[in-house]
Amino acid sequence: MAHVKGLKCRECHRPYPAKPLHVCEFCFGPLEVDYDYAALRRVATRRAIEAGPPSIWRYQALLPVEGEAAVGHACGMTPLLPAKNLGAALGVRECYLKNDAVCHPTLSFKDRVVAVAVTKALEFGFPVVACASTGNLANSVAAHAAEASLRSVIFVPADLEQGKIVGTLVYRPTLVAVDGNYDEVNRLCSEVADKYGWAFVNINIRPYYAEGSKTFGFEIAEQLGWRAPRHIVVPAAGGSLVTKIWKGLKELQALDLIPEVSTRMYVAQASGCGPIVNAIKADSETIRPVKPKTIAKSLAIGNPADGYYAFKAVKESGGGAEHATDEEILEGIQLLAATEGIFTETAGGVTVAAAQKLIAQGVIPRDESLVISITGNGLKTQEALTGVLPAGLTIKPTLKAFDEALAAHEAETSGA
Ligand SMILES: *Cc1c(COP(=O)(O)O)cnc(C)c1O
Ligand SMILES: [Zn+2]
């Protein structure tokens, strides 16, 4: 299976071997996995993919893993749901949700990238996997490391949600809460990676890690019967997911697995941390770092590593971008829950709210297919809804108590 040629600089296109490298020595551009597409045409057929396992590994030919995948056998192939109720609420005819709130094992799309990164870390013989995380990556690296019997060291900003802390600690990693924001955590981790020689999934293994995000786009296309939708709204933190969904769709097109792609990509970020959206709106390819201040902590990266490439993907596709305020994020979470019965985390609230604005503005037309990317689970960011939702009824265990409470409740909710 010699479909990986090696790595290649995204800027000067110099080739590199498929080693744990991530930066070009000549121009400091980021490295990316380079495939032999002619060889891929023979192995990556619709029939071969459809006959594969019901996980991201059905696309293994298009991922940088040569042998047996070590982890992630239940990861991916999450539902693409026709969202009639949400579509009606937003006023669009053909609306789908790609629901990675139920991705395995840790209920966010990060399982896709980590399954690839941890498999690679094992291949390269690293004794320790590590990451700088805004929360979901922490959960996923700790879980996959446990499955792979690798030690993990996880760095997070100290102000993370409780669900993300507990959902990391349960796997018994070394968890390091850093008194600083993600960008400070990430800077520290670059130094730790150099000094300790660990596999930081989103730093020195990043070229491999990032490829896992392509599967989000592959699945959308396969689940639509091998075609790409007209519009996809994607939340962005570092900007990798949106960049790689775009790359993945282009690969499917190049391999004649889908017809010509006319998909428009849209980035959703919080108003309190929207450096990529700012750049797209200003039509300026310079990403100006910001200081994050938002309840969407999983998206709170002020200096996004792939911001420039996310910008390029959006521009190349003819898409756009929109922000969501904290209030709009909470409304987005509740709208998705009320219409489709799906509880997403704050990042999903950002995506729903941004999609809603883009539709209202006429940027996304009402009569074209739209996929809204739900990338994480609401049970992990419960504190965002504290004091927002109405309380339930509390009663004594008698029918009389229930009758009275129900009557009072109905009077209250139907009344003025
Ligand atoms: C990390 C994350 C994203 C964004 O990922 P990037 O590839 O860094 O842009 C989106 N949604 C959720 C829930 C995340 O945890
Ligand atoms: Zn270069």
Side-chain angles (χ1 to χ4, degrees):
M1 251 205 263
H3 53 270
V4 173
K5 287 205 286 195
L7 300 176
K8 194 171 77 179
C9 175
R10 276 202 243 183
E11 291 306 316
C12 73
H13 307 294
R14 269 195 179 78
Y16 287 83
K19 294 269 166 62
L21 304 168
H22 68 296
V23 183
C24 176
E25 292 171 10
F26 294 90
C27 75
F28 302 108
L31 303 183
E32 175 169 58
V33 178
D34 189 23
Y35 298 88
D36 178 349
Y37 287 102
L40 270 181
R41 288 183 81 85
R42 291 191 292 276
V43 290
T45 61
R46 284 185 189 177
R47 189 197 290 238
I49 292 167
E50 285 165 357
S55 73
I56 60 165
W57 298 117
R58 67 205 280 107
Y59 308 105
Q60 184 172 342
L62 295 151
L63 296 171
V65 169
E66 304 273 336
E68 183 78 5
V71 293
H73 295 287
C75 174
M77 283 314 271
T78 57
L80 182 76
L81 304 160
K84 286 223 174 68
N85 297 338
L86 180 64
L90 299 180
V92 282
R93 223 175 46 202
E94 195 184 350
C95 182
Y96 302 89
L97 293 166
K98 179 61 174 164
N99 187 15
D100 264 18
V102 295
C103 198
H104 284 138
T106 66
L107 310 180
S108 90
F109 101 89
K110 290 296 198 305
D111 288 331
R112 299 174 181 276
V113 283
V114 173
V116 176
V118 168
T119 294
K120 271 333 258 191
L122 280 170
E123 260 182 43
F124 289 135
F126 282 100
V128 175
V129 286
C131 68
S133 174
T134 56
N136 285 313
L137 190 60
N139 295 173
S140 191
V141 170
H144 284 91
E147 189 189 353
S149 303
L150 279 173
R151 186 179 161 210
S152 64
V153 184
I154 313 284
F155 296 79
V156 295
D159 71 341
L160 225 52
E161 299 95 343
Q162 196 56 24
K164 295 207 171 141
I165 298 285
V166 174
T168 302
L169 284 174
V170 71
Y171 305 110
R172 292 303 180 112
T174 302
L175 179 66
V176 185
V178 179
D179 183 14
N181 64 31
Y182 174 83
D183 300 285
E184 293 167 309
V185 175
N186 192 50
R187 212 158 27 239
L188 166 65
C189 286
S190 293
E191 293 179 57
V192 175
D194 284 344
K195 177 161 180 187
Y196 287 82
W198 295 338
F200 272 83
V201 301
N202 53 339
I203 302 176
N204 51 353
I205 306 290
R206 191 173 181 87
Y208 306 95
Y209 156 97
E211 288 291 289
S213 282
K214 294 191 306 189
T215 62
F216 195 93
F218 292 158
E219 288 175 18
I220 291 172
E222 183 181 349
Q223 288 167 323
L224 285 174
W226 295 107
R227 70 180 170 99
R230 255 323 245 141
H231 307 275
I232 307 181
V233 183
V234 185
S240 180
L241 176 62
V242 66
T243 308
K244 292 293 178 166
I245 292 173
W246 180 238
K247 182 188 181 198
L249 293 177
K250 294 297 227 181
E251 283 182 349
L252 295 185
Q253 175 187 299
L255 295 167
D256 289 325
L257 292 171
I258 57 173
E260 184 163 338
V261 174
S262 57
T263 307
R264 296 185 171 170
M265 306 295 302
Y266 302 84
V267 166
Q269 291 195 298
S271 307
C273 183
I276 303 173
V277 174
N278 293 343
I280 293 166
K281 286 190 162 195
D283 202 13
S284 148
E285 61 176 47
T286 312
I287 311 288
R288 286 226 180 78
V290 302
K291 209 162 183 198
K293 192 177 182 313
T294 169
I295 57 168
K297 293 183 183 178
S298 60
L299 303 181
I301 297 186
N303 188 12
D306 288 299
Y308 168 67
Y309 298 100
F311 171 89
K312 283 222 308 198
V314 166
K315 288 292 162 180
E316 208 179 294
S317 71
E322 200 44 90
H323 289 123
T325 64
D326 283 356
E327 200 176 317
E328 289 165 344
I329 293 168
L330 295 173
E331 282 166 11
I333 291 172
Q334 293 176 81
L335 178 63
L336 183 66
T339 53
E340 298 295 336
I342 292 172
F343 185 16
T344 186
E345 69 151 79
T346 46
V350 170
T351 315
V352 171
Q356 185 167 29
K357 286 175 155 178
L358 290 162
I359 294 160
Q361 292 158 6
V363 177
I364 296 177
R366 295 175 185 275
D367 57 351
E368 295 181 350
S369 55
L370 163 67
V371 173
I372 297 176
S373 308
I374 300 304
T375 50
N377 193 297
L379 292 172
K380 294 201 216 178
T381 62
Q382 295 185 48
E383 42 280 75
L385 292 165
T386 306
V388 173
L389 303 176
L393 308 177
T394 305
I395 60 167
K396 293 246 158 21
T398 66
L399 184 58
K400 180 165 172 290
F402 175 66
D403 290 341
E404 286 171 5
L406 184 66
H409 174 68
E410 285 182 347
E412 199 178 297
T413 49
S414 68

